[in-house]
Amino acid sequence: MSGETHAIDVSGRAEGAKMKQETFLPDDYRPAEDEPFMNDRQLEYFRIKLINWKNELLAGSRDTIEGLQDNTRNIPDVADRASEETDRALELRTRDRQRKLVAKIDAALRRIDEGEYGYCEVTGDPISLKRLDARPIATMTLEAQERHERREKVHRDD
């Protein structure tokens, strides 16, 4: 660890609350198994990760909206028009998935605020740090998620 710390402006709290907070985490900080689970540094690490992810998604949405507004032109060729409409529909579906992802990010930020982040909603067990780092919106341990998906598959196949 380099020991260097940098102030990071963290805003965009769950449900759009306007609250600014400064935190000091080393640039190379990564949650480790040998520290207390969901201590202040880990919570702040995941809060920053979630807020940055949300900001990226929202910036992409703004770009899409601007692009769709700019591309409202009359295309005389039927094939070209159909192709453009297909592209638009695909882009809108992608943005809808990202909108749902933003809602899951907001829910994860709420769980941080409420002290519930990092614990499985089914078993109450800690979710592994590796899983949370890979999927910070995870609400279940890997084992609970796999059981849930197996049950879903069984019900789908009926």
Side-chain angles (χ1 to χ4, degrees), residues 25 29 31-33 35-47 117 129:
L25 284 178
Y29 174 78
E33 300 291 341
E35 58 185 328
F37 187 70
M38 287 302 127
N39 63 57
D40 289 344
R41 286 167 50 121
Q42 287 181 357
L43 288 171
E44 203 54 35
Y45 171 83
F46 286 112
R47 181 189 316 276
Y117 185 80
L129 291 174

Side-chain angles (χ1 to χ4, degrees), residues 100-135:
K100 291 174 184 171
L101 191 53
V102 167
K104 289 180 180 183
I105 291 170
D106 285 340
L109 290 168
R110 269 192 305 280
R111 287 194 304 279
I112 288 173
D113 291 341
E114 294 166 3
E116 299 170 1
Y117 185 80
Y119 295 92
C120 180
E121 67 183 13
V122 175
T123 66
D125 294 336
I127 300 171
S128 78
L129 291 174
K130 285 183 180 178
R131 176 164 169 72
L132 288 171
D133 209 21
R135 184 128 178 105

Side-chain angles (χ1 to χ4, degrees), residues 17-35:
K18 298 293 179 198
M19 183 173 170
K20 273 195 163 178
Q21 173 181 345
E22 275 196 5
T23 184
F24 295 91
L25 284 178
D27 283 347
D28 58 353
Y29 174 78
R30 292 290 176 269
E33 300 291 341
D34 64 348
E35 58 185 328

Side-chain angles (χ1 to χ4, degrees), residues 56-122:
E56 287 173 20
L57 292 171
L58 293 175
S61 292
R62 282 189 294 274
D63 293 345
T64 297
I65 290 167
E66 290 169 8
L68 290 174
Q69 289 171 342
D70 291 345
N71 289 335
T72 55
R73 58 183 193 269
N74 188 11
I75 302 171
D77 184 68
V78 176
D80 288 344
R81 191 174 329 131
S83 177
E84 182 147 325
E85 287 301 318
T86 301
D87 291 347
R88 277 176 177 247
L90 180 61
E91 185 68 32
L92 289 172
R93 274 197 309 274
T94 300
R95 291 299 164 204
D96 188 50
R97 278 194 299 275
Q98 290 176 340
R99 179 187 54 78
K100 291 174 184 171
L101 191 53
V102 167
K104 289 180 180 183
I105 291 170
D106 285 340
L109 290 168
R110 269 192 305 280
R111 287 194 304 279
I112 288 173
D113 291 341
E114 294 166 3
E116 299 170 1
Y117 185 80
Y119 295 92
C120 180
E121 67 183 13
V122 175

